[in-house]
């Protein structure tokens, strides 16, 4: 830069030693000289005056100036940056010539909070160093030369007009006293390669707070990436919350963060993705460095891996050296640096010691560690990486399912092997089940998706029971321990002590989680001086057990395993040939809980496991089989209320097969038959139900189990009632009433309630209500909430049949609320089904349809085929009321199919409605054939309600004929007359109309005939 003698700043000596240098320049000066030379000359005079005036205030030294560009020197970087900020604000308010402001390079620019640019846009660069001082013999002024001067000039040249850039070295000194700058904005821009400067420089943009909204393009220098973290790759699914948490913690100043989680959870991928983002941001002056420690098993190996990653040459072993200190001092020289230590678990103790020392030696270094075990250091913050998010329970909407992180990852990886894969609605349940059964573990999901290249989704799903065989190969770019699911867990297994391995395999007997008390009762560690509690804590620290607070335990912790880890441990247990004692201890603990009805819903999975383990014992022994049967008895109430009922059937069948080979008390065999009979009845198979219940009755009668026989007789009565055999139903219930209950009030309530249900069919609701109400009160007295809820709904149904619909609605609403509060899905479904029916009776078809649709879905979830069929039939009636004839015919046909075997009376009722819909749709021959077939049914001939209903629905069909005929024709008149006669025949019947379904059709006919011509 050529020299022009400047006006001197009075009393300011040129700084020496460490000097902060500032270069300023007007990037658009050449264009402005061309466009408005006079205004430009005036503008530079204004700028020079402002620069020198502020220079006096900030004790700055003017080295030289040329063409509006300045070189300035300050004693400290704080003074230099403060001068730049004040100069930018002063330049904005200067009285620039109008001709200058009219030019694009000096035009006024206003942001949301005020003026941002006006007049000359001056860029400024600040750097600090120790330049060589030279005195001009002619003028006596000091000039500076050397690398620091060149760097300061290049810092300024990298910026844009109106921008202040500060080198990382200068900003490191300013940051410690940043409050001296006043209100300001500082934004690290990263490291850049500046022309003529050998090493990259970190640059920070600093502006007055009033001008923080100024925005500039990319710097006029190439960005330098300092570090060895791989570039950010697309495809990180989910983890946005965890990613933001990590970035926030480091922004807040956290120095050590450990990412915890079992193998395959995605710790490495998250850490390297964060590292890549941080490296791209160039916010770390010392860079972002990845150190992979999978092969490091000693402190020396860890230091070697660190030195290789950082490029630090350690002294030879022959020399006196401390590699830990060497690395710490080297890190300190890096300044602000982020170090990623990946897979530290196999060297945790040594690693903790080394990191603690590095934190002391390098105060500006930060560490992100991935491990399956915490380090236990005071400064450590833990972020436990859980499963990817799964779809909500029972979610069926494709759009919502596709938002799940686990599903998104599966789709993304499937596209890598199957091209343009799109998840279809019919395939969504398969994918949901796959990701659920894999616990949302990222590695397991990726490996499963990789198999879709040769297997269909349903095949992948079916083979998950052999997951370690299915998921044995995956991404070629993965390390050996991450290439298979078993390899990931093997890595953790090999780091365990013998007592830890023993406890882990024994914990595989639990399913669905367990409490510490349960583990202490079940797990045994012979020959070990360590307590079970301490070993479990160690497994928890190593991420092989997980813990969560459970509301039912009043804030207590419940332990558990990811299913893949549990299956791995179970395989190891089989290899060790676990003795029957473990299975017995587990079963007895949970059966004792079940006898007290303690946490039954919470421990369902453990009771199922107890049953499965007992049934799997070889050879079959009476003791283990009895444990299995007792578990099935304990499970039945919970499965009856929450479903799905299919959980019991295969286990009941297995138990019955084993009964033939060992001696088991007859009452235990009877229990299996009775449970299976009740299951068949709910599933809509009364024939099979009757066969099992008769077998149970025979066994109980022979063994003198009177109370058990009484209950089975009540259930045989229910079967006969569902089949329409009211005579047999009455005989069974009468026989049951004659048998004593042995003081069992629950059995008395059960008998009385079923008597009421039978009386409602035999003689009508008035006779049923006292029995139903008494049963409800008895169930309340003995504390059986689920049966009390059920009979509350049955009472409501009977009340509605007596036209007390308001009371009925209040009761079913109460039942729904109570069922929801205790998790009784069956009770809620039954109540909601009948609420829909009551609303339909009152003419609220839209609201009724909502409730009936929900009831149908819940019944399907339960596996309660009869409830599902009833909901479908009532939904068909609701669609008919709303004019959806095609939908009505569909649902009514589905209901008939579902109920034909298990609830014959209801099937005939809905078949009659379907026939009327066929007539309305114009399919008169089909309707006529359906009505004629119904009228020939023996059950219809014997049942006045069905006869009345069919008569009235035939009247509806007559009106459909009238609608099809020409208006005013003889055919139309005769059809209307036929409808009227059918209605009047029911009205004049000696059998009073009690059933709500008959009353509803009667009202419809009366309304239609009242508006039609006679």
């Amino acid at each position: 830069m050529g020299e022009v003698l400047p006006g001197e700043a009075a009393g300011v000596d040129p700084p020496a030693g460490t000097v902060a240098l500032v270069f300023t320049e007007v990037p658009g000066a050449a264009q402005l000289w061309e466009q408005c030379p006079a205004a430009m000359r005036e503008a530079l005079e204004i700028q020079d005056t402002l620069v020198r005036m502020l220079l006096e205030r900030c004790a700055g030294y003017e080295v030289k100036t040329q063409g509006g560009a300045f070189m300035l020197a300050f004693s400290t970087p704080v003074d230099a940056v403060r001068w730049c900020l004040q100069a930018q604000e002063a330049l904005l308010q200067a009285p620039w010539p109008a001709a200058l402001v009219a030019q694009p390079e000096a035009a006024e620019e206003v942001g949301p909070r005020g003026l941002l640019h006006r007049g000359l846009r001056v860029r400024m660069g600040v750097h600090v160093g120790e330049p060589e001082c030279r005195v001009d013999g002619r003028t006596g002024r000091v000039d500076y030369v050397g690398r620091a001067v060149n760097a300061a000039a290049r810092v300024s040249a990298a910026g844009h007009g109106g921008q202040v850039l500060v080198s990382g070295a200068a900003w490191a000194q300013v940051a410690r006293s940043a409050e001296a700058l006043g209100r300001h904005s500082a934004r690290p821009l990263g490291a850049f390669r500046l022309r003529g400067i050998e090493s990259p420089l970190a640059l920070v943009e600093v502006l007055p707070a009033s001008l923080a909204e100024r925005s500039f393009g990319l710097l006029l220098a190439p960005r330098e990436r300092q570090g060895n973290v791989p570039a950010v790759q697309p495809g990180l699914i989910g983890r946005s919350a965890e990613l933001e948490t990590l970035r926030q913690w480091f922004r807040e100043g956290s120095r050590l963060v450990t990412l915890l989680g079992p193998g395959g959870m995605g710790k490495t991928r998250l850490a390297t993705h964060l590292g890549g983002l941080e490296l791209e941001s160039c916010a770390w002056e010392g860079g972002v460095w990845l150190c992979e420690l999978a092969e490091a098993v000693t402190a020396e190996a860890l230091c070697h891996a660190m030195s290789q990653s950082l490029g630090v040459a350690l002294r030879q072993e022959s020399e006196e050296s401390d590699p830990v200190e060497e690395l710490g001092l080297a890190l300190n020289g890096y300044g602000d640096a982020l170090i990623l230590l990946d897979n530290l678990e196999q060297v945790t103790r040594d690693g903790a010691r080394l990191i603690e020392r590095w934190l002391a030696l390098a105060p500006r270094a930060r560490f992100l560690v991935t491990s399956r075990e915490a380090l236990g250091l005071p400064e450590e913050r833990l972020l436990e990486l859980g499963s990817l998010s799964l779809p909500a329970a029972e979610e069926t909407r494709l759009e919502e399912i596709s938002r799940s992180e686990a599903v998104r990852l599966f789709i993304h990886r499937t596209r890598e092997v199957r091209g343009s894969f799109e998840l279809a609605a019919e395939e969504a349940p398969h994918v949901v089940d796959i990701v659920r059964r894999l616990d949302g573990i990222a590695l397991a999901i990726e490996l499963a998706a990789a198999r879709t290249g040769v297997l269909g989704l349903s095949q992948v799903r079916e083979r998950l029971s052999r997951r370690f065989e299915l998921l044995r190969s995956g991404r070629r770019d993965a390390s050996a321990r991450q290439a298979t699911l078993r390899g990931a867990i093997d890595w953790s297994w090999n780091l365990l002590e013998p007592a830890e391995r023993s406890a882990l395999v024994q914990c595989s007997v639990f399913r669905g989680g367990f409490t510490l008390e349960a583990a202490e009762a079940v797990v045994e560690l012979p020959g070990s001086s360590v307590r079970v509690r301490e070993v479990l804590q160690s497994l928890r620290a190593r991420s092989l057990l997980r813990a969560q607070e459970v509301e039912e335990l009043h804030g207590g912790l419940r332990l558990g395993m990811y299913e893949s880890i549990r299956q791995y441990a179970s395989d190891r247990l089989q290899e060790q040939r676990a003795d029957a004692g473990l299975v017995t201890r587990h079963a007895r603990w949970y059966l004792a809980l079940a006898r007290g009805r303690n946490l039954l819903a919470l421990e369902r999975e453990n009771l199922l496991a107890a049953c499965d383990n007992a049934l799997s014992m070889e050879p079959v022994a009476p003791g283990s089989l009895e444990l299995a049967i007792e578990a099935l008895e304990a499970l039945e109430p919970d499965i009856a209320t929450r479903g799905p009922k299919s959980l019991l059937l295969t286990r009941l069948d297995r138990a019955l097969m084993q009964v033939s080979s060992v001696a088991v008390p007859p009452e235990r065999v009877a229990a299996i038959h009775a449970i299976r009979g009740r299951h068949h009845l709910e599933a809509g198979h009364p024939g099979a139900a009757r066969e099992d219940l008769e077998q149970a009755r025979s066994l109980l009668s022979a063994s003198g189990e009177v109370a058990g026989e009484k209950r089975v007789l009540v259930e045989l009565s229910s079967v006969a009632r569902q089949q329409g055999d009211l005579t047999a139903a009455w005989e069974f219930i009468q026989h049951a009433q004659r048998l004593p209950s042995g003081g069992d009030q629950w059995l008395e309530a059960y008998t009385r309630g079923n008597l009421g249900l039978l009386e409602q069919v035999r003689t009508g609701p008035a006779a049923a209500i006292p029995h139903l109400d008494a049963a409800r009160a008895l169930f309340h007295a003995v504390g059986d909430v689920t049966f009390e809820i059920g009979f509350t709904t049955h009472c409501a149904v009977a009340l509605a049949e007596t036209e007390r619909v308001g009371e009925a609605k209040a009761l079913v609403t109460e039942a729904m609320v109570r069922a929801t509060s205790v998790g009784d899905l069956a009770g809620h479904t039954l109540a909601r089904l009948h609420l829909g029916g009551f609303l339909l009776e009152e003419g609220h078809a839209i609201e009724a349809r909502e409730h009936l649709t929900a009831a149908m879905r819940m019944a399907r979830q339960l596996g309660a085929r009869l409830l599902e069929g009833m909901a479908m039939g009532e939904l068909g009636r609701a669609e008919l009321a709303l004019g959806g004839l095609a939908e009505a015919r569909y649902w009514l046909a589905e209901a008939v199919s579902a109920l034909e075997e298990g609830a014959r009376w209801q099937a005939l009722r809905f078949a009659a409605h379907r026939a009327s819909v066929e007539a309305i749709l114009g399919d008169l021959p089909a309707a006529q054939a359906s009505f004629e077939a119904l009228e020939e049914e023996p059950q219809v001939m014997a049942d006045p309600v069905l006869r009345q209903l069919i008569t009235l629905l035939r009247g509806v069909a007559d009106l459909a004929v009238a609608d099809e005929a020409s208006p005013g024709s003889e055919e139309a008149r005769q059809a209307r007359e036929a409808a009227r006669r059918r209605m009047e025949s029911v009205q004049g019947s000696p059998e009073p109309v009690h059933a709500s379904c008959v009353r509803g059709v009667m009202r419809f006919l009366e309304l239609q005939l009242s508006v039609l011509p006679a």
Side-chain angles (χ1 to χ4, degrees):
M1 179 184 290
E3 181 179 343
V4 175
L5 291 180
E8 294 193 18
V12 176
D13 294 327
T18 300
V19 177
L21 298 170
V22 176
F23 278 79
T24 78
E25 187 181 3
V26 182
Q31 292 91 333
L32 291 171
W33 277 113
E34 288 291 330
Q35 294 160 1
C36 52
M40 184 58 180
R41 189 175 297 105
E42 183 182 351
L44 288 181
E45 291 175 0
I46 294 171
Q47 177 206 231
D48 294 353
T49 301
L50 282 172
V51 165
R52 290 172 178 140
M53 178 182 68
L54 292 172
L55 202 59
E56 291 179 13
R57 295 179 187 174
C58 295
Y61 181 79
E62 180 180 343
V63 181
K64 51 190 170 184
T65 182
Q66 182 178 5
F70 282 84
M71 176 182 175
L72 311 172
F74 296 83
S75 298
T76 69
V78 174
D79 290 336
V81 174
R82 183 169 57 232
W83 178 86
C84 291
L85 300 185
Q86 292 178 3
Q88 290 291 340
E89 289 184 313
L91 289 167
L92 189 69
Q93 303 300 328
W96 303 110
L100 181 85
V101 177
Q103 303 304 317
E105 293 80 9
E108 184 175 291
E109 184 179 324
V110 180
R113 297 182 182 178
L115 192 61
L116 295 179
H117 291 283
R118 187 176 184 279
L120 292 183
R121 300 187 182 186
V122 182
R123 64 185 176 196
M124 301 173 181
V126 182
H127 183 55
V128 67
E130 296 183 2
E132 180 184 343
C133 296
R134 291 183 179 177
V135 178
D136 187 308
R138 183 172 59 86
T139 64
R141 294 194 58 76
V142 171
D143 196 0
Y144 299 93
V145 295
R147 295 176 61 188
V149 176
N150 295 336
R154 295 306 176 200
V155 169
S156 174
H160 300 272
Q163 189 172 27
V164 178
L165 296 180
V166 182
S167 71
W171 184 250
Q173 297 183 38
V174 174
R176 293 193 287 266
S177 307
E179 66 279 358
L181 300 180
R183 295 180 65 247
H184 67 282
S185 165
R187 184 166 67 95
L189 302 178
F192 294 82
R193 285 278 178 191
L194 304 182
R195 186 163 58 88
I197 307 299
E198 182 179 352
S199 300
L201 280 183
L203 298 179
V204 179
E205 178 189 275
V206 187
L207 287 169
S210 60
L211 302 180
E213 291 176 351
R214 279 183 178 177
S215 61
F216 308 95
L218 296 175
L219 294 192
L220 306 178
R223 182 186 293 270
E224 170 72 8
R225 295 174 71 245
Q226 189 168 0
N228 66 341
V229 181
V232 174
Q233 297 293 324
L236 181 71
I237 307 296
R239 304 303 188 198
S240 57
E242 293 90 342
L243 189 64
E244 180 53 35
T245 297
L246 290 172
R247 302 189 84 170
Q248 180 63 32
W249 285 358
F250 283 121
R251 283 196 295 268
E252 291 171 355
S254 296
R255 300 197 58 210
L256 171 60
V257 177
T258 299
L259 263 181
L260 283 176
M265 208 49 90
K267 303 183 296 295
T268 296
R269 181 166 295 172
L270 176 59
T272 54
H273 190 83
L274 170 75
L277 292 175
E278 293 298 304
L279 185 59
E280 282 187 356
S281 74
C282 296
W284 299 85
E285 179 189 6
V288 183
W289 304 92
L290 172 63
C291 183
E292 296 178 342
L293 302 173
E295 304 302 323
V297 293
T298 64
E300 291 74 15
L302 197 159
C303 286
H304 178 72
M306 271 283 285
S307 68
Q308 293 284 51
S309 297
L310 295 174
V312 175
L314 299 177
R315 281 180 281 180
Q316 297 300 314
E317 293 181 5
S318 58
E319 304 176 33
E320 288 189 10
S321 65
D322 180 351
V324 181
E325 183 172 355
E326 284 186 64
L327 285 167
L329 294 174
L331 273 175
N332 187 48
Y334 276 58
D336 290 323
L338 177 61
I339 314 299
L340 312 181
L341 300 178
D342 190 30
N343 300 303
L344 192 66
E345 56 268 358
Q346 78 283 359
V347 65
T348 302
R349 289 192 181 92
D350 287 337
R353 177 174 57 82
L354 268 57
I355 292 172
E356 186 173 31
R357 195 165 174 198
W358 288 334
L359 287 169
L361 290 169
R364 293 169 62 190
R366 317 280 188 87
F367 292 87
L368 174 61
V369 174
T370 73
S371 177
R372 305 182 192 189
E373 185 174 358
L375 300 176
L377 294 176
E379 291 189 67
E380 183 181 28
R381 294 186 78 166
L382 301 177
L383 180 60
E384 189 162 359
L385 210 57
S387 304
L388 294 171
S389 68
L390 296 165
E394 305 310 319
E395 180 60 71
T396 57
R397 292 169 294 175
L398 181 60
E399 181 181 356
E400 292 301 316
I401 288 172
S402 299
R403 288 178 180 167
S404 151
E405 293 173 350
V407 172
R408 284 166 51 209
L409 177 61
F410 186 90
I411 293 171
H412 182 80
R413 296 302 181 212
T414 300
R415 285 174 180 160
E416 292 182 357
V417 295
R418 286 176 55 177
S420 56
F421 171 77
E422 294 295 335
L423 183 61
E426 61 272 15
E427 294 177 320
H430 295 311
V431 174
V432 170
D433 193 46
I434 289 168
V435 299
R436 280 194 179 283
R437 290 171 63 185
L438 295 174
D439 293 313
I441 295 175
L443 174 61
I445 292 170
E446 291 188 349
L447 294 173
R451 308 304 289 170
T452 61
V454 292
L455 298 173
L457 293 176
S458 61
Q459 292 174 304
V460 172
R461 178 189 184 188
E462 290 164 5
R463 298 185 187 201
L464 281 181
S465 57
R466 306 187 305 277
R467 65 183 63 196
F468 293 117
E469 178 183 333
L470 175 70
L471 309 180
R472 62 187 177 187
S473 62
R475 299 172 67 87
R476 295 177 180 175
D477 59 350
S479 63
R481 65 187 172 78
Q482 293 174 319
T484 70
L485 185 59
R486 178 175 286 277
I489 305 174
D490 273 337
W491 178 265
S492 293
W493 172 265
N494 292 331
L495 298 174
L496 297 181
E497 299 295 331
E500 293 170 328
R501 292 184 180 184
S502 178
L504 185 68
V505 298
Q506 290 183 70
C507 284
S508 70
V509 76
F510 296 106
R511 199 184 299 168
F514 54 93
T515 62
L516 181 60
E517 293 74 18
E520 290 178 320
V522 174
V523 175
E524 291 186 352
L525 299 173
S528 173
S529 61
V530 185
R531 294 188 302 169
V532 170
R533 181 184 296 258
E534 293 169 354
V535 175
L536 294 182
Q537 177 60 40
S538 177
L539 291 173
R540 170 75 185 104
R542 292 174 180 268
S543 301
L544 289 168
L545 293 179
R546 53 180 177 168
Q548 60 181 13
E549 289 189 8
V550 178
E551 185 177 345
E552 292 90 333
L553 297 177
H554 307 293
L557 286 180
R558 185 173 178 82
L559 300 170
M561 296 181 184
Y562 289 105
E563 182 59 20
S564 296
I565 296 175
R566 195 194 72 79
Q567 284 197 20
Y568 177 94
S570 180
D571 289 349
R572 291 282 187 177
L573 184 65
Q574 295 303 315
E575 293 170 6
Q576 298 174 11
R577 297 188 178 181
D579 63 336
L582 175 64
V583 170
T584 302
R585 292 192 300 273
H586 175 267
R588 285 178 176 165
W589 173 266
Y590 287 104
L591 287 172
L593 282 181
R595 289 187 202 104
R597 300 186 71 81
N598 292 323
L599 305 173
L600 185 57
L602 188 63
E603 301 298 358
R604 168 196 282 210
E605 289 298 319
N606 273 308
L607 283 167
L608 287 169
C611 178
D612 293 343
N613 293 333
L615 289 174
S616 299
M617 293 300 293
E618 293 182 358
V620 178
S624 61
L625 184 53
E626 285 193 55
L627 286 174
I629 295 170
E630 193 175 347
L632 289 167
E633 289 182 281
L635 281 162
E636 187 193 9
D638 182 64
I639 290 176
T641 57
R642 296 198 298 131
K645 298 183 185 297
S646 58
L647 283 175
L648 288 182
L649 187 57
T650 55
R651 293 176 172 89
L652 289 165
D653 291 343
R654 286 179 66 193
L656 279 171
M657 282 193 298
Q658 293 187 11
V659 161
S660 61
S661 62
V662 294
V664 176
E667 61 271 18
R668 288 296 189 201
V669 183
I672 305 175
H673 281 293
I675 296 170
R676 194 168 72 169
R678 289 189 285 272
H679 176 278
H680 283 315
L681 181 60
E682 290 293 326
H685 306 301
R690 189 164 192 163
E691 183 179 339
D692 266 316
L693 291 169
E694 288 284 13
Q695 186 70 29
R697 178 192 178 189
S698 175
L699 290 164
L700 292 166
S701 178
S703 60
E705 289 287 332
V706 177
E709 183 185 0
K710 179 169 183 168
R711 178 174 181 178
V712 169
L713 283 166
V714 172
E715 286 152 356
L716 283 166
S717 174
S718 294
V719 173
R721 172 168 53 83
Q722 295 284 17
Q723 290 180 307
D725 189 351
L726 299 185
T727 302
W730 183 251
E731 290 175 358
F732 282 127
I733 202 74
Q734 289 296 300
H735 190 172
Q737 285 188 296
R738 288 193 294 271
L739 294 179
S741 300
D744 187 341
Q745 290 298 299
W746 185 93
L747 186 54
E748 281 296 317
Y750 191 63
T751 306
R752 187 80 182 271
N754 278 277
L755 174 62
L757 293 174
L758 178 57
E759 284 287 52
Q760 184 164 348
V761 179
R762 288 179 69 247
T763 59
I769 289 172
H771 298 299
L772 297 172
D773 209 31
R776 177 187 174 203
L778 281 170
F779 282 124
H780 178 77
V782 299
D784 193 322
V785 178
T786 57
F787 271 87
E788 182 190 352
I789 289 168
F791 277 95
T792 297
T793 300
H794 292 316
C795 282
V797 173
L799 287 171
E801 293 298 310
T802 62
E803 302 190 63
R804 295 157 66 183
V805 178
E807 293 176 60
K809 284 171 62 180
L811 278 181
V812 291
T813 302
E814 174 194 332
M816 283 174 60
V817 171
R818 292 200 67 196
T820 300
S821 69
V822 298
D824 180 2
L825 182 61
H828 185 102
T829 304
L830 182 67
R832 196 158 195 181
L833 164 64
H834 287 294
L835 177 59
F838 299 158
L839 290 166
L840 189 58
E841 175 88 357
E842 291 182 324
H844 304 302
I846 293 177
E847 193 177 350
R849 179 172 62 183
E850 292 176 2
H851 285 290
L852 293 168
T853 301
M856 179 182 66
R857 288 176 180 160
M858 289 188 289
R860 191 172 294 158
Q861 178 185 340
L862 277 167
R865 185 63 171 162
L866 296 185
L867 276 179
E868 183 186 357
M870 284 289 295
M872 290 191 291
E874 294 300 330
L875 182 58
R877 292 181 58 228
E879 291 289 0
L880 175 59
L882 292 168
L885 299 179
E887 293 84 356
R889 179 165 60 177
Y890 172 79
W891 289 119
L892 289 166
E894 289 290 304
V896 172
S897 175
L899 301 171
E900 198 160 13
E901 181 187 357
R904 184 67 179 161
W905 191 92
Q906 297 291 355
L908 293 170
R909 178 167 77 94
F910 292 128
H913 281 285
R914 182 183 61 184
S916 71
V917 173
E918 289 170 342
I920 297 170
L921 284 168
D923 193 352
L924 298 175
Q928 181 70 18
S930 296
F931 280 126
E932 289 175 356
L934 284 168
E935 289 172 339
E936 292 175 2
E937 285 279 345
Q939 191 169 347
V940 172
M941 294 178 183
D943 190 296
V945 173
L946 288 175
R947 289 201 308 272
Q948 290 174 350
L949 177 64
I950 291 169
T951 298
L952 293 174
L953 287 172
R954 293 201 74 162
V956 173
D958 291 331
L959 291 180
V961 172
D963 288 340
E964 288 294 318
S966 300
S969 68
E970 180 64 18
E971 183 183 5
R973 188 190 68 76
Q974 288 180 1
R976 287 194 296 273
E977 282 303 318
R980 191 183 303 279
R981 285 194 300 272
R982 295 186 199 280
M983 182 183 71
E984 290 170 351
S985 71
V986 173
Q987 289 172 333
S989 170
E991 298 158 333
V993 177
H994 287 301
S996 59
C997 59
V998 175
R999 291 197 304 267
V1001 182
M1002 177 73 79
R1003 285 196 297 269
F1004 174 78
L1005 277 177
E1006 287 173 343
L1007 177 64
Q1008 294 300 311
L1009 290 169
S1010 69
V1011 298
L1012 291 172

